[in-house]
C-alpha cells in the first residue's frame, strides 16, 4: 500500500504469486491469492480472538493484534464470514446470551449492523450482488454469465455441475476424485455457451466448495459421516474452566476453517487441510485424557 514492492510481492523468493496485483492492495503473503491466506490463518485468528476475550493467555495481546491485522488486510469475503462465525462462537460460549435477554438483543442488533458495514466494501458488495442476481435466475443467459465476476462464476458453475452430478447418484456419489470428469461431462449442459465458459474452467479440480465436492463425490452418506466427525470431535467450551482454553480455541478455529472451506475451497489436501483435520481429532483426544486424569486426581 505504501509502494514497497519487495515487502509485498515475494515472487523473487521463488513463490508463485498467482493473481497478485498492486491495484487490489490486499495482503496475500506468499499464497496464490488472499483467500488462501485466510484458510491458512483461520485457526490462528480464532486463537487471537479468544485471547482478546481472556479465554487463554498462550499468546500476548500484541501478537493477537498482529494476527488480526494481517487477517483483515486480506480483505477476503470468505475471511469476513469466518471472522463473524468465530465471534459468534466465542460470544455464545463465554457469555450466557440465551439466559440474558439484553445480551441477546445486543447480539441481534450487532450481526446485521456488522453485515451491513462489510457489505459496503466494494469487493464484498460485488460478489454478493452478482451471486444473488445469478443464483436466483433459473435460466441465466450468455449475457448474465459474461458480466458476472470470475469468483461468482466459479461458484455458480460448480454449483450447477454439482447439482447435475448429485441427481445421478444422491446417496453414494460418483466416487472420490471423480469431480473433474463430471465437470467436463456436464459443464456444457448447465452453463450457456459464452466466452467465459470457453476460456475458463475455474476450480474444475476441486468444485470451488468442499460441500459441493463431498455431495458430488461421496453423496449424502459421505457428507453425513463427515459432519458427524466434525460434531463428535469438536471441543466444547466447558473445558475452558479446567485450563484448556487454548486447546478449545485451536479446535474451534479448525471447526470454523472447515465451515468456510465447505463454502469456498474444495481441495482435500491443500494448505495443510489434512493436518488440521488430524489435529482436530487429537485435540479432542487430549481433552478426554485430561478430563480422565483430572477425575482420577
Amino acid at each position: 500500500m505504501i509502494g514497497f514492492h519487495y515487502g509485498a510481492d515475494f515472487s523473487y523468493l521463488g513463490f508463485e504469486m498467482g493473481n497478485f496485483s498492486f491495484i487490489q492492495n490486499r495482503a496475500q503473503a506468499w499464497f496464490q491469492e488472499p483467500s488462501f491466506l485466510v484458510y491458512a490463518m483461520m485457526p490462528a485468528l480464532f486463537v487471537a480472538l479468544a485471547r482478546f476475550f481472556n479465554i487463554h493467555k498462550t499468546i500476548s495481546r500484541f501478537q493477537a493484534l498482529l494476527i488480526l491485522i494481517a487477517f483483515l488486510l486480506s480483505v477476503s469475503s470468505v475471511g469476513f464470514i469466518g471472522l463473524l462465525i468465530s465471534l459468534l462462537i466465542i460470544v455464545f460460549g463465554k457469555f450466557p446470551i440465551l439466559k440474558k435477554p439484553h445480551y441477546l438483543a445486543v447480539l441481534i442488533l450487532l450481526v446485521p449492523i456488522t453485515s451491513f458495514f462489510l457489505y459496503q466494501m466494494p469487493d464484498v458488495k460485488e460478489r454478493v450482488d452478482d451471486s444473488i442476481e445469478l443464483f436466483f435466475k433459473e435460466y441465466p443467459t450468455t449475457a448474465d454469465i459474461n458480466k458476472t465476476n470470475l469468483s461468482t462464476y466459479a461458484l455458480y458453475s460448480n454449483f450447477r455441475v454439482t447439482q447435475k452430478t448429485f441427481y445421478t447418484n444422491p446417496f453414494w456419489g460418483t466416487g472420490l476424485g471423480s469431480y473433474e470428469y463430471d465437470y467436463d461431462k456436464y459443464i456444457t449442459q448447465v452453463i450457456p455457451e459464452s466466452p467465459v465458459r470457453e476460456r475458463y474452467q475455474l476450480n474444475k479440480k476441486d468444485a470451488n466448495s468442499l460441500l459441493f465436492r463431498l455431495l458430488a463425490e461421496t453423496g449424502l452418506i459421505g457428507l453425513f459421516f463427515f459432519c458427524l466427525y466434525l460434531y463428535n470431535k469438536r471441543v466444547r467450551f466447558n473445558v475452558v474452566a479446567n485450563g484448556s482454553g487454548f486447546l478449545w480455541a485451536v479446535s474451534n478455529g479448525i471447526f470454523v476453517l472447515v465451515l468456510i472451506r465447505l463454502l469456498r475451497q474444495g481441495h482435500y489436501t491443500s494448505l495443510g487441510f489434512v493436518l488440521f483435520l488430524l489435529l482436530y481429532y487429537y485435540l479432542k483426544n487430549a481433552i478426554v485424557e485430561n478430563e480422565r486424569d483430572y477425575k482420577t486426581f
Side-chain angles (χ1 to χ4, degrees):
M1 294 176 72
I2 64 175
F4 179 54
H5 178 85
Y6 294 106
D9 183 356
F10 297 151
S11 59
Y12 64 94
L13 296 176
F15 294 109
E16 171 56 53
M17 297 305 291
N19 63 355
F20 182 85
S21 169
F22 289 108
I23 300 174
Q24 293 182 355
N25 289 332
R26 299 172 61 191
Q28 66 183 71
W30 53 80
F31 300 99
Q32 286 186 311
E33 57 182 77
S35 64
F36 288 8
L37 172 64
V38 163
Y39 298 128
M41 284 188 65
M42 193 65 243
L45 174 77
F46 198 102
V47 169
L49 293 175
R51 177 65 182 91
F52 289 130
F53 284 86
N54 284 324
I55 293 173
H56 69 89
K57 294 184 179 180
T58 305
I59 62 174
S60 68
R61 289 181 181 273
F62 178 71
Q63 290 171 318
L65 182 61
L66 288 180
I67 293 172
L68 178 60
I69 291 173
F71 192 90
L72 293 176
L73 286 175
S74 71
V75 197
S76 169
S77 54
V78 73
F80 290 132
I81 293 173
L83 175 63
L84 189 58
I85 295 173
S86 299
L87 286 172
L88 289 174
I89 290 175
I90 292 172
V91 169
F92 270 99
K94 187 173 176 63
F95 303 106
I97 299 293
L98 299 179
K99 298 179 181 178
K100 300 275 182 87
H102 55 284
Y103 282 173
L104 186 59
V106 170
L107 187 64
I108 291 174
L109 286 173
L110 209 56
V111 171
I113 290 173
T114 304
S115 301
F116 172 78
F117 281 108
L118 290 177
Y119 177 70
Q120 302 311 308
M121 303 182 73
D123 288 332
V124 175
K125 188 177 188 304
E126 179 186 22
R127 284 163 174 75
V128 171
D129 290 348
D130 285 354
S131 297
I132 291 174
E133 182 179 356
L134 201 56
F135 274 83
F136 279 86
K137 281 193 174 182
E138 187 175 357
Y139 300 106
T141 64
T142 297
D144 293 327
I145 298 298
N146 286 337
K147 72 178 183 179
T148 193
N149 68 85
L150 291 181
S151 180
T152 299
Y153 172 73
L155 181 65
Y156 179 75
S157 58
N158 284 283
F159 164 74
R160 293 300 304 275
V161 170
T162 299
Q163 188 179 48
K164 194 80 171 176
T165 304
F166 177 74
Y167 288 157
T168 64
N169 200 335
F171 293 105
W172 297 103
T174 54
L176 288 175
S178 62
Y179 183 80
E180 185 174 358
Y181 303 100
D182 293 327
Y183 184 97
D184 291 334
K185 182 178 179 180
Y186 294 120
I187 189 64
T188 56
Q189 300 178 31
V190 298
I191 299 297
E193 184 176 358
S194 64
V196 174
R197 191 193 75 182
E198 302 307 318
R199 188 178 306 145
Y200 302 104
Q201 295 181 320
L202 299 176
N203 298 93
K204 66 177 286 186
K205 296 180 182 296
D206 74 332
N208 194 242
S209 158
L210 187 60
L211 175 62
F212 292 170
R213 191 169 183 188
L214 287 173
L215 278 174
E217 295 188 355
T218 68
L220 291 173
I221 302 297
L223 181 63
F224 169 77
F225 280 106
F226 183 76
C227 292
L228 186 65
Y229 172 78
L230 289 179
Y231 176 79
N232 287 335
K233 294 302 177 181
R234 183 184 169 201
V235 176
R236 301 304 190 265
F237 189 78
N238 61 333
V239 306
V240 174
N242 297 331
S244 298
F246 178 70
L247 298 183
W248 174 83
V250 176
S251 173
N252 282 268
I254 296 172
F255 177 73
V256 177
L257 167 66
V258 175
L259 293 183
I260 62 174
R261 287 186 69 126
L262 283 169
L263 292 175
R264 290 304 299 265
Q265 172 57 251
H267 202 292
Y268 294 139
T269 60
S270 69
L271 303 167
F273 191 51
V274 173
L275 172 65
F276 283 125
L277 291 179
L278 289 172
L279 185 58
Y280 191 72
Y281 172 84
Y282 284 112
L283 283 167
K284 178 68 173 183
N285 285 4
I287 290 294
V288 172
E289 290 178 8
N290 287 347
E291 289 180 344
R292 188 184 299 119
D293 293 341
Y294 180 78
K295 290 178 181 179
T296 303
F297 178 77

